[in-house]
Each structure stands twice: as C-alpha cells, then as structure tokens.
C-alpha cells in the first residue's frame, strides 16, 4: 500500500484540497507538482528540505517521498552550526528549497521547488522499510541525533490515529504547526495525504486564523490552545469542529477546562516522541480526562519499569519509566549504534525516558522526563507535573515549571519557576501546601517574565536552575 494512499490512488480534485498559508492546490495538482520534484531527485538516498510553512515545503517533501528518497527537514530558523551538522551527519545529496529562496552558502546543491512545474510520471512504491524521514532531535548532551523513521512506521502511526480519531476524507484538518517535527509534518501533512482529508495550514497558529478556517479537526500544542482559550470569540468559533487535539507537551488542566467551557469540546490529548511517533491517545469515542493521554494505539504495547528495570504495577498511582514496543517505532539513530543500545531494553522495547502511570483501565498519565520531572526529595518521589498543576490552579499564575535542584540535605529541592500576576513566592508555596502533601510544596519560587520554550511550546527546563 502506498504511504500517501489517497493522494497517490485517488487525488482530491477540489481546488483547495491542500492549502498552506493562503496558497492552494487540488490533490491532483499537488501530485503533479510533486512528481516534477521526484523526477529531479530520483536515485538519491537523502535530501534536505527547507521546512518553512509554505506550499513549496509540502511539494518538496511529497516529491522526495514519491521517489523513495528520505527527507531531512531543516528548521527555517536553524543556525549555521546546526545546519552544517545536519548536512554532514545525514550526508544529504541536495537541498530542496523554494525557487528564489535566500539559502545560506556552504550546504549541498540546491534543487529549486517550482510550483509551476508539472510531471505526469509515476514511480513504483518503495519498500515499506525504506527510510521516509530523518528528524534531528536534541538530547541532553552532544550534537542532535538523526532519528530514522521508516515508511512502514509512519503508515502504522497514521492508521492508528485514523482509528482513534475517526479520521476520514470528510475531515478538514486545520493547524499552523512547524513542518520539521512529527506533529506538524508527519501527522499534519502526511496524515491528510494518506487519509484523504483536506488540509489548511494557516501559516501561524493564531486563534483568529483557527477560528476563520471552519475545520472539523484541529491540531495544536498547549501554547496554541492556551492562546485560543484566552480569545473567547475565537474559541467559541470552534464549536462546530468535530475534534480538537493537543500534543507535544502536557496541556494544563485549567486550559482543558476553559476550552471545554468555550468550545464545548473535551480536548483529545495524545503522547509520542520523535523515536516512537504517536503511541498513546485518547479516542474520539472514549473518555477524555485532563492530564491523561489515553490508551495505546492498535499494535502498540506499553509497560512501566523501575530504576532496575523491574515491573511497576498498572494501578494508576505507581510511577515508572514508560517503555514502548510496536509498529510505530523508529529504525534507529543515524550513525549512532551507541545511542541505539542505550535506548533499548531488549525484546523490541524502547526506553522513552518519560515517567508515567498506567491505570487499571489502561489510561496513561505522563509525569514528565525522568531526568527533570521525577524529583527525589527527602526520600519521596515527586512528579513535577503534579506540582505544576497545583501552581496553575492559582488564579494569578499564568505559567509554571518545576524542577529538582541539588540539595545536600534533601537530595533534590523542589523549585518552581512561575509567571504570575499579583502573587508572591511565599503565597504560592502556601497555596501548594494546602492542596498537595506538604512534602510536595516548592522550597523556592522564582518569578519570571516568561519561561524558555522551544518551537513546539515545550518548556526548556535545562535552561532553568
């Protein structure tokens, strides 16, 4: 089966089947534009693509995939050092960019993507195990690693999400997410092209653009949904949608509640990583509870492990590292057998590095990263997310991040970084102590103007402390 099944087999003839930042193409015209790119890159192993929120990015990615060439998306704001590393590490033979783009010198040869070019040539579907994308992700140390994701893994993920979300050709997907991550590119572009739904990428994910799009299915990260909730008129305009989906970071319970009030929707949360794609999600026909990310997709298995690799009970309370196995997993890190070995727990299990709980009903709750979000203080194991939720319940708190800071007596000291109005640090400590066990209260609260975040809105905790 073709990775881009609907696009390849029955392309949508509607003139606005795919819209990106105001530029629109029918599915049939997108296929012909992409085929012209495929003609030029066929036979190469890997190409980079300037991942801007443009139709040229979509055409370039689709063209490479049609030709069986692996795509390395390059963030539009990547610095010179990042670009050099990605080009050298991946060994890309060319860089696809919009014709006339101002591309920095020193990279691979540029192949211009011209939306005026068309081709009617077809190419045989590559083997399912062939690499589709190589996504670069930063760890806690060293240069970013290339995550090799196969065509088979992407197909399994997208089909699992179609099952969970009742995703059909009748949908219009709306989002404005970056096209160099799993969320925006794999789910947000390849998903519609596989399932036949229309796509409206609004350029920037601004509340009023979401409101004006008239979609049935919306993707956003918590920062986007927080801004939508803060714009009541835009939020109410989403009442006609079928499903609102949040991912890439934890959605604050207060935002969940605000969106439910304004839009009438209980937002769907899901969980995944670059290395695993999406593995767990709430379902369109199932319960959706704030702070939880649902149950495994078809074919995906999960379990919890303690620090020695032993089993942790699925009782909804015990915390352990989340291990994942199944068809959505990546093929490995490019040129990094050491990282491959460190990330596996044997028998096909991938170590996510995330701490979670699993309830008796199979519903997962992500506590956070084992390295930053599981705090060991005074003999207690404290989830940073629980303390963050308690802080965010205060009406004066807009943002909160909690980490463990080394402490000679406690081992780690619960420390909060907060963006707030009209409240002091001691008042917030007392507020948390009234709502959680006293040992979970922050020992220190630092008031900031803003929390450091990446392009997907995730708080960069390694920049705190």
């Amino acid at each position: 089966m073709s990775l881009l099944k609907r696009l390849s087999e029955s392309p949508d003839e509607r003139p606005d089947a795919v819209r990106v930042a105001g530029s629109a193409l029918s599915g049939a015209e997108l296929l012909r534009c992409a085929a012209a790119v495929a003609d030029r890159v066929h036979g190469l192993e890997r190409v980079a693509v300037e991942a801007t929120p443009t139709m040229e990015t979509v055409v370039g990615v689709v063209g490479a995939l049609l030709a069986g060439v692996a795509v390395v998306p390059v963030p539009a704001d990547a610095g010179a050092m990042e670009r050099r590393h990605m080009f050298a590490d991946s060994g890309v033979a060319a860089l696809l960019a919009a014709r006339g783009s101002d591309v920095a010198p020193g990279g691979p040869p540029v192949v211009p993507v011209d939306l005026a070019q068309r081709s009617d040539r077809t190419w045989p579907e590559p083997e399912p195990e062939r690499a589709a994308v190589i996504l670069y992700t930063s760890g806690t140390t060293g240069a970013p690693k290339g995550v090799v994701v196969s065509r088979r893994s992407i197909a399994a993920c997208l089909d699992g999400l179609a099952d969970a979300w009742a995703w059909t050709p009748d949908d219009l997907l709306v989002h404005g997410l970056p096209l160099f991550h799993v969320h925006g590119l794999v789910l947000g572009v390849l998903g519609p092209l596989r399932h036949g739904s229309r796509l409206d990428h609004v350029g920037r994910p601004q509340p009023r653009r979401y409101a004006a799009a008239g979609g049935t299915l919306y993707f956003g990260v918590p920062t986007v949904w927080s801004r939508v909730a803060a714009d009541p008129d835009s939020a109410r305009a989403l009442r006609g949608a079928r499903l609102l989906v949040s991912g890439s970071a934890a959605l604050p319970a207060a935002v969940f509640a605000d969106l439910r009030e304004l839009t009438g929707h209980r937002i769907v949360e899901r969980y995944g990583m670059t290395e695993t794609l999406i593995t767990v999600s709430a379902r369109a026909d199932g319960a959706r509870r704030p702070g939880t990310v649902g149950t495994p997709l078809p074919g995906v298995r999960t379990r919890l492990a303690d620090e020695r690799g032993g089993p942790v009970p699925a009782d909804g309370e015990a915390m352990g590292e989340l291990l994942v196995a199944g068809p959505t997993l990546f093929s490995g890190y490019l040129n990094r057998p050491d990282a491959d070995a460190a990330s596996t727990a044997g028998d096909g299990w991938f170590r996510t590095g995330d701490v979670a709980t699993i309830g008796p009903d199979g519903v997962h709750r992500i506590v956070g990263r084992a390295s930053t979000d599981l705090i060991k203080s005074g003999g207690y194991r404290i989830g940073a997310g629980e303390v963050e939720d308690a802080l965010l319940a205060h009406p004066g708190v807009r943002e909160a991040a909690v980490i463990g800071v080394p402490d000679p007596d406690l081992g780690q000291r619960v420390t909060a970084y907060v963006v707030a109005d009209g409240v002091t640090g001691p008042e917030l400590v007392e507020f948390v102590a009234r709502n959680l066990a006293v040992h979970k209260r922050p020992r220190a609260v630092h008031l900031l103007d803003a929390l450091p975040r990446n392009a997907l809105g995730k708080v960069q905790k390694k920049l705190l402390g």
Side-chain angles (χ1 to χ4, degrees):
M1 180 188 293
S2 170
L3 172 59
L4 307 178
K5 178 177 170 55
R6 288 279 183 167
L7 178 69
S8 298
E9 299 176 6
S10 53
D12 196 328
E13 297 288 351
R14 289 172 290 187
D16 61 347
V18 178
R19 183 180 295 274
V20 184
S23 176
L25 287 174
S26 69
E29 287 304 296
L30 169 61
L31 186 60
R32 296 184 68 217
C33 284
V37 173
D39 290 346
R40 301 188 65 184
V41 302
H42 181 71
L44 302 179
E45 184 176 3
R46 302 168 189 141
V47 296
V49 176
E50 287 284 348
T52 57
T54 62
M55 186 66 77
E56 284 85 354
T57 294
V58 173
V59 169
V61 169
V62 174
L65 292 177
L66 290 177
V69 180
V71 173
V72 180
V74 179
D77 61 350
M81 184 179 297
E82 293 173 285
R83 295 171 69 91
R84 286 195 300 269
H85 170 71
M86 294 173 68
F87 293 152
D89 187 65
S90 64
V92 291
L95 172 65
L96 302 182
R99 181 175 293 280
S101 296
D102 184 17
V103 177
V110 175
V111 174
V113 177
D114 188 341
L115 299 184
Q117 293 184 346
R118 302 286 192 275
S119 172
D120 292 313
R121 186 171 180 176
T122 59
W123 299 93
E125 179 67 14
E127 290 297 317
E129 297 306 325
R130 190 171 181 84
V133 295
I134 301 174
L135 303 167
Y136 275 81
T137 181
S138 296
T140 55
T141 60
K145 299 186 293 289
V147 177
V148 183
V149 184
S150 72
R151 303 172 75 94
R152 184 190 300 278
S153 294
I154 291 176
C157 172
L158 295 177
D159 289 350
L161 292 176
D163 177 80
W165 299 343
W167 192 350
T168 75
D170 295 330
D171 279 310
L172 167 58
L173 170 61
V174 177
H175 72 91
L177 302 172
L179 299 185
F180 47 85
H181 286 297
V182 168
H183 200 166
L185 179 61
V186 176
L187 275 59
V189 173
L190 304 188
L193 300 182
R194 181 169 178 81
H195 299 315
S197 62
R198 288 185 296 152
L199 166 65
D200 187 353
H201 188 292
V202 297
R204 294 179 62 84
Q206 297 170 343
R208 294 188 182 278
R209 292 184 181 185
Y210 272 37
T216 62
L217 179 61
Y218 285 81
F219 290 172
V221 298
T223 300
V224 172
W225 292 123
S226 177
R227 291 171 181 171
V228 170
D231 185 341
D233 289 341
S234 295
R236 293 188 188 99
L238 304 186
R239 281 185 168 269
R242 186 178 65 79
L243 213 62
L244 310 182
V245 179
S246 182
S248 298
L251 182 74
V255 176
F256 184 103
D258 289 345
L259 288 171
R260 183 183 182 189
E261 176 68 23
L262 291 166
T263 70
H265 289 280
R266 297 176 69 90
I267 201 162
V268 165
E269 294 188 70
R270 86 300 182 280
Y271 167 79
M273 299 177 63
T274 306
E275 291 90 342
T276 67
L277 303 183
I278 308 306
T279 52
V280 178
S281 179
R283 296 181 58 86
D285 59 358
R288 306 171 210 165
R289 301 195 296 270
T292 64
V293 292
T295 55
L297 297 184
V300 173
R301 293 173 292 143
T302 63
R303 64 183 176 91
L304 301 178
D306 63 22
E307 293 170 343
R308 296 179 298 277
V312 172
D315 59 7
E317 297 293 334
M319 295 184 291
E321 182 182 6
L322 181 64
L323 275 57
V324 176
T328 68
L329 265 61
F330 73 137
S331 303
Y333 294 107
L334 186 66
N335 307 322
R336 292 292 303 274
D338 58 327
D340 288 340
S343 68
T344 59
D347 297 326
W349 290 96
F350 175 78
R351 300 185 58 183
T352 67
D354 284 326
V355 177
T357 68
I358 302 176
D361 56 359
V363 172
H364 291 54
R365 177 173 66 88
I366 306 301
V367 176
R369 296 297 291 169
S371 58
T372 58
D373 293 315
L374 182 60
I375 303 169
K376 300 172 186 177
S377 182
Y380 295 100
R381 291 160 60 91
I382 301 166
E386 184 180 17
V387 185
E388 289 163 359
D389 286 345
L391 287 164
L392 289 167
H394 191 287
V397 174
R398 290 183 281 128
E399 298 181 81
V402 172
I403 63 172
V405 173
D407 185 277
D409 178 45
L410 298 169
Q412 287 182 300
R413 184 172 64 255
V414 179
T415 303
Y417 294 81
V418 175
V419 180
D421 301 307
V423 62
T424 67
E427 289 171 340
L428 291 175
V429 171
E430 176 61 25
F431 179 79
V432 173
R434 290 199 306 269
N435 289 282
L436 299 179
V438 173
H439 70 263
K440 296 179 181 179
R441 72 191 186 284
R443 301 298 179 120
V445 174
H446 302 281
L447 298 175
L448 304 177
D449 292 330
L451 297 178
R453 297 180 181 272
N454 66 12
L456 286 178
K458 291 184 180 180
V459 176
Q460 301 293 82
K461 289 192 175 183
K462 63 185 178 182
L463 301 180
L464 300 172

